[in-house]
Each structure stands twice: as C-alpha cells, then as structure tokens.
Amino acid sequence: MSPMPPPRPARSAAVVAALFSLDPAGLGGIWVRAPFGPARDGFVEHVRALLPAGAAMRRVPAGIDDGRLLGGIDLAASLAAGRRVMAAGLLAEAAGGVLVLPMAERLDRALCARLAQAQEGRFGAIALDEGIGPEEHLSPALADRMAFALDAADLLARRPTARMRGLGAARRRLARMRMDDGVAEALCHVAAQLGIFSLRPVILAMRAARAAAALAGRRSAGEEDAMLAAQLVLAHRATRLPAAEEDTDAEPESTPPPPACGDEAAPSETEGEQAADRVLDAARSALPPELLAALLLGQGRRGTAGGRAAAPAAATAAHGRPLGARPGRPGREHGLALVETLRAAAPMQALRRRERPDHPGRVIVLGGDFRVRRHQAPVRSVAIFAVDASGSSALNRLAEAKGAVQLLLADCYVRRDQVALLAFRNRGAELLLPPTAALARARRSLAALPGGGATPLASGIDAARDMALGARRRGNRPLLVLLTDGGANIGRDRQPGRAAAAADARAAASACAADGIPALLIDTAPRPNAFAAELAGAMRARYLPLPFADARALSRAIRTEQGA
C-alpha cells in the first residue's frame, strides 16, 4: 500500500473555530491578526455560536483595572447591604468560556502577565491583533498559550462548516478520547524539526489532534489527526526549515538485512518513523508563505514564540553591508551564496563525474563547496528620552518632548534610527514608548502623557541607563537625552528628602558615565540650574540650558549630538 499523502493545508477559519469550541480552555486560544471589519467580527460570532450552551464569552475592555479583572469588594452593594459584598472578576466570569481581547497588540505588559498566569486550563481567549507594523504584535506569553493563529486571508476564505450539528456528540467523545501510540512522538519530532523547543505547543498540538478525532467521530487520535494538528498548531511557529538529507560524499549505507522471523521491533520502528515523516510533510505544506520565504532566506523566525508577527531581530549576519562569501553551511544567520558555491564546485566536475558516473545531477556539489554570504550588521542609533514629568511645568516639558520625538521619527525611516520615551514622576519611572521607528505607534503612545507630582530623578536616570545598556547589547548605539529642571526630591528608596535624592541622582549619573553612555542633559528650569549642570558633569554629558525650548530646538540639539 502506498504511503498516504499529506492533506492539503487546512488553515480554514471554520475548522479552527470548530476545534476550539470543543476545548477552549485546553486549546488556549486563537490569535487573529486582522484589521477591524465584518470578517473578523463574523468569525468571533461564529465561535460564539459553536460554544456549548451556558459557556460565557466576555470582552476585556481597554484600561480595565485589577478590581474588575480579578474581583474584589463591590462598593455599591456593600454600602446598600451594610456588610462586605464581594464581586466576581471578569476572569471568574469567563471560567470555562472565552475571553475576547480587543487591540491585543497594545495590552499592558502587567495585564498580559495576569492573563497568561490565569489562563492555564481555565478559559480560552481570542486575541484580536490589529498591529500594522513588525514591532506591533501580541505578547509572547499570551501567544505561546494559543494553539491557533489566523490572519485576514484565512478569515476571508472561511466557508460554512457542516460540523456544527455534531458538536455535542464530539464533546462527549472528547472526554473519552484516546491517542494512538506514536502520535505524541510524531508531534515531538515535527516540533524539533521545525525548531520549536517549547513543550507547550506540542501539548496544544496533542489536544488539537484529540479534538480533530472527536469531530471526525473516531475514538482515538491517529496519524490523520496528528497531520491536521501539525498544520494548524505547529507550522506557523516554525523557526527553521526541516533538516534535509545531508548531501555529502559519503558512500551510501548498505541496505540492512531483513529482520529475523518473529522480530517485530524493527518493522514497528520503521513504521513509526514513516508516520512521523508524513506528519512532518503535512506541517511543511502548511508553512505560511511569508514565513517560508523568510526561512528560505536563512533569517529564521524573528517574531514571538507563537505568532506570525516578526519583531526586529538583533544585529544579525543575514542583514547589512555585504562582506563577500566564505566556506560554510547555509543556516539561519548565513544565506547560501549560490554563484560562489557553483564557482567552487566547477573545477572538480570532470573528476567527480568519472568517480560517480551514475550521479543523476548535472552538477555534483559536495559539502566542502558550499559558500555563505557574510554581512556587516548596521548600527542604529537609539535616542532615549528620559523626561521629568513632575511639577507645575510638566505639561510644557512633555509637549516639547512629544514634538521632538515626532520630528526625529520623521528621519527614522531614512536613517534607521529609533526613539524611546520614558517619564519619571511621583515614586518611579514609566516606559511610555519602547525603542521604535514606527511613526503610527509613536503617535498613539504619545497621545496622552501623565504629569505632576514629585521628582524621582535617580529612578529616571537608572531606568534610562538600563534601557541604554539593553540597546547596546543588541548592537545599537544609544544616546540618553535627559530633560529635567534638577529638582530631585525622591530617592532610590522612594522616600522623600532632597539631600538623599540629590546624592542618589549623582550616583546614578556617575554610573552612566562609568558605562560610557553618551548623554545630553537639557535643563528645562526657568533659569539655568546649578545642580543640573553638576549632574551633567557627573554624567559626562553635554549640558544644554533651554528654559524656553521648543520641539525644533530639541530636535536640532539631539541631531547634533548624534553626529547627523
């Protein structure tokens, strides 16, 4: 009997919805990367219709607080009853059902951490990702917990499914579902071949295989179900192409002798390996085109653990100014230099044809002929704005910083530079804009900045220093831009006191100087502040008193400091 061919890639939104509705808590969720529109809303309603009766579907509003999310005291009910009345949170309401996460790419990191911690086996999630750039994507912690990923093309290609009528029986079968021996091994083999080294995707693939078997009316999950699970759960997580057979000059191994009579171990092992290879072929056939193109270029996955979005990688040898070719094996960091490889193999063709007269190819290329491209990765500048957002004049300083960031970002597309923004006030520092060159994202992040309160100057400098060191580790060139009037009054221990706060600020500034971080201190006080100038000296920073600075003046000063 000939081997069963792998099925056609099954990226149908209808199939995903049916599988997810059987086991939403076990399958984790669906990452839907698509813009707002009727196709996306229709898919969410389709999933709602497939859920069992009584299963809740709750939408997480933007800016939800911990009390509404996790539960707590119901103040209105407690006042009316004269006793403490507890209210269930949104997570408790969604137990056994589904949470819908609008604008998932913009969720606060703390909220993503709480959702990821609470999600395990309690509820499913549909993450609606509207990110338009490579830097906008779902939190890796949430993406890793979601079995499926769909994009706009998948939603538009959806067809009505006839499996809705049998979902009740499928749920009953799922509770008693078994898994054939070798299915788990085959899925682990596929994950390893695709470069997926987290156990969670394999577990999700196993649950998807069980759900697929239940939908098909089977009592145990087999090879066909493993193929579907590999296509839907593992393919879009690939970080590398499956390893091909090594093309070396080694002599082919002789055919092993047939097993002795009664020896069943060898045939069963061979059959298991063939099944794993068929599951791998199914996963390979479902690789998304954009991911396949990136893997063929040797770039690998640059995105998050479980999604299709690609975040900018650190400096890699696959990008930058070409430095020529050298001997080596093509891989994730080095692409194949085809012309140089053929040029290295050409002088030996006559000799190799005499040695291998039965070789089917016109050109015999051995392992030592391969040449790979080398590149010098570009070095980008990262301007890190640390803005003192305290006091009565905070709104003016924040407006100046916002305008300067907007002007600098206009040049980012040409110069490949990035801009980051953090504000410090009250008891600590807050990251408002991670390093980015995306103008649209910056405009959204800078729409409303907080202002007022005390001045934790040392905390602001420490936060900016940590970000600068992180940028340097990624191969970028940081520039710390500190906007302050020098009025430090909160120390590193978050306690008030001007003397201790000033000493902590000097220590933080000295740490920046010790690390060799280029810096620019812009004094925004009404008159030049002596302590701000002293702080600039401790940082070895250029001191620029600009009591009436506007956005263009700040932008010009920063460009000068960057050497533009």
Side-chain angles (χ1 to χ4, degrees):
M1 180 177 179
S2 61
M4 181 176 58
R8 296 178 62 186
R11 296 171 57 189
S12 168
V15 174
V16 168
L19 294 175
F20 177 67
S21 66
L22 289 183
D23 187 15
L27 290 171
I30 308 172
W31 180 5
V32 181
R33 189 169 175 86
F36 175 80
R40 196 186 72 178
D41 290 346
F43 174 75
V44 175
E45 291 302 319
H46 183 64
V47 174
R48 184 196 298 270
L50 297 181
L51 291 175
M57 178 177 279
R58 297 287 186 268
R59 184 176 292 264
V60 178
I64 187 173
D65 56 18
D66 287 348
R68 178 67 185 102
L69 182 70
L70 305 175
I73 298 177
D74 189 332
L75 183 58
S78 299
L79 292 175
R83 57 182 177 83
R84 186 172 62 179
V85 178
M86 303 301 294
L90 197 62
L91 298 182
E93 295 175 3
V98 177
L99 273 184
V100 180
L101 309 176
M103 295 186 294
E105 79 284 359
R106 300 179 60 186
L107 289 179
D108 180 72
R109 292 184 179 180
L111 176 59
C112 291
R114 294 185 183 94
L115 291 173
Q117 185 177 12
Q119 185 182 1
E120 298 286 354
R122 296 180 57 191
F123 56 84
I126 300 178
L128 305 178
D129 185 350
E130 302 177 17
I132 58 176
E135 296 181 353
E136 296 181 318
H137 53 78
L138 183 64
S139 162
L142 288 178
D144 193 43
R145 287 165 169 79
M146 297 193 176
F148 308 111
L150 299 173
D151 56 25
D154 299 327
L155 299 183
L156 294 175
R158 179 173 65 85
R159 295 292 185 269
T161 176
R163 295 176 177 173
M164 295 177 58
R165 299 178 181 177
L167 289 180
R171 291 189 183 97
R172 292 190 293 271
R173 283 191 294 270
L174 183 62
R176 304 183 300 272
M177 181 60 57
R178 301 188 306 271
M179 185 172 289
D180 290 350
D181 294 339
V183 171
E185 287 83 357
L187 291 174
C188 289
H189 171 73
V190 171
Q193 288 292 314
L194 296 178
I196 304 170
F197 301 109
S198 172
L199 290 178
R200 185 173 284 112
V202 179
I203 296 173
L204 293 175
M206 293 179 188
R207 299 192 74 103
R210 294 174 69 249
L215 272 180
R218 290 185 282 271
R219 295 183 178 180
S220 63
E223 180 181 335
E224 182 178 354
D225 306 307
M227 288 182 176
L228 182 62
Q231 290 179 327
L232 296 178
V233 181
L234 299 180
H236 67 272
R237 288 178 158 90
T239 64
R240 69 185 184 195
L241 288 174
E245 297 182 1
E246 292 292 333
D247 186 11
T248 63
D249 52 355
E251 293 294 331
E253 297 181 358
S254 59
T255 304
C261 182
D263 186 3
E264 298 180 356
S268 61
E269 181 180 358
T270 302
E271 182 180 352
E273 292 176 354
Q274 292 176 353
D277 290 340
R278 289 193 291 268
V279 176
L280 179 60
D281 290 339
R284 185 188 289 110
S285 69
L287 289 174
E290 67 280 2
L291 174 58
L292 181 60
L295 295 178
L296 287 173
L297 290 176
Q299 298 173 3
R301 280 300 295 265
R302 300 178 297 164
T304 60
R308 302 177 184 180
T316 172
H319 301 280
R321 183 169 60 88
L323 296 179
R326 65 172 178 84
R329 284 281 183 177
R332 295 180 59 185
E333 296 184 355
H334 302 289
L336 175 66
L338 180 60
V339 175
E340 289 78 4
T341 299
L342 296 177
R343 186 176 293 141
M348 306 297 295
Q349 293 307 302
L351 177 61
R352 291 174 184 175
R353 289 195 185 96
R354 288 197 298 269
E355 294 177 348
R356 297 187 176 185
D358 57 341
H359 193 279
R362 294 184 178 180
V363 179
I364 303 176
V365 180
L366 303 183
D369 300 329
F370 284 111
R371 299 294 186 269
V372 295
R373 297 188 182 93
R374 295 184 300 156
H375 297 80
Q376 182 178 11
V379 179
R380 292 184 294 187
S381 295
V382 181
I384 302 170
F385 284 77
V387 182
D388 180 356
S390 63
S392 58
S393 61
L395 293 179
N396 292 331
R397 290 194 296 270
L398 289 175
E400 294 161 3
K402 176 181 176 180
V405 170
Q406 296 279 17
L407 291 176
L408 287 173
L409 279 172
D411 297 334
C412 283
Y413 293 102
V414 177
R415 299 174 49 187
R416 300 281 186 177
D417 291 345
Q418 293 182 335
V419 176
L421 178 64
L422 57 89
F424 54 93
R425 66 186 185 108
N426 289 333
R427 302 290 179 179
E430 178 184 7
L431 178 63
L432 301 176
L433 181 66
T436 181
L439 184 58
R441 183 183 183 190
R443 286 173 177 168
R444 290 196 299 268
S445 300
L446 299 174
L449 304 183
T455 309
L457 184 54
S459 298
I461 298 175
D462 287 338
R465 171 175 167 264
D466 292 341
M467 183 178 293
L469 292 177
R472 178 180 291 173
R473 285 192 296 268
R474 292 188 294 272
N476 296 327
R477 182 175 60 248
L479 172 63
L480 198 161
V481 183
L482 178 62
L483 286 81
T484 181
D485 58 4
N489 53 23
I490 297 292
R492 279 173 165 168
D493 57 357
R494 300 192 174 186
Q495 299 300 320
R498 291 188 179 277
D504 289 344
R506 292 190 191 95
S510 300
C512 290
D515 291 327
I517 299 175
L520 171 65
L521 193 150
I522 299 176
D523 186 355
T524 58
R527 293 184 298 274
N529 187 300
F531 179 70
E534 178 188 350
L535 206 63
M539 296 178 68
R540 298 177 186 173
R542 180 186 174 192
Y543 174 66
L544 187 62
L546 292 175
F548 305 104
D550 59 7
R552 294 189 179 278
L554 290 179
S555 179
R556 286 194 298 270
I558 294 168
R559 286 195 184 100
T560 301
E561 194 67 18
Q562 288 177 319

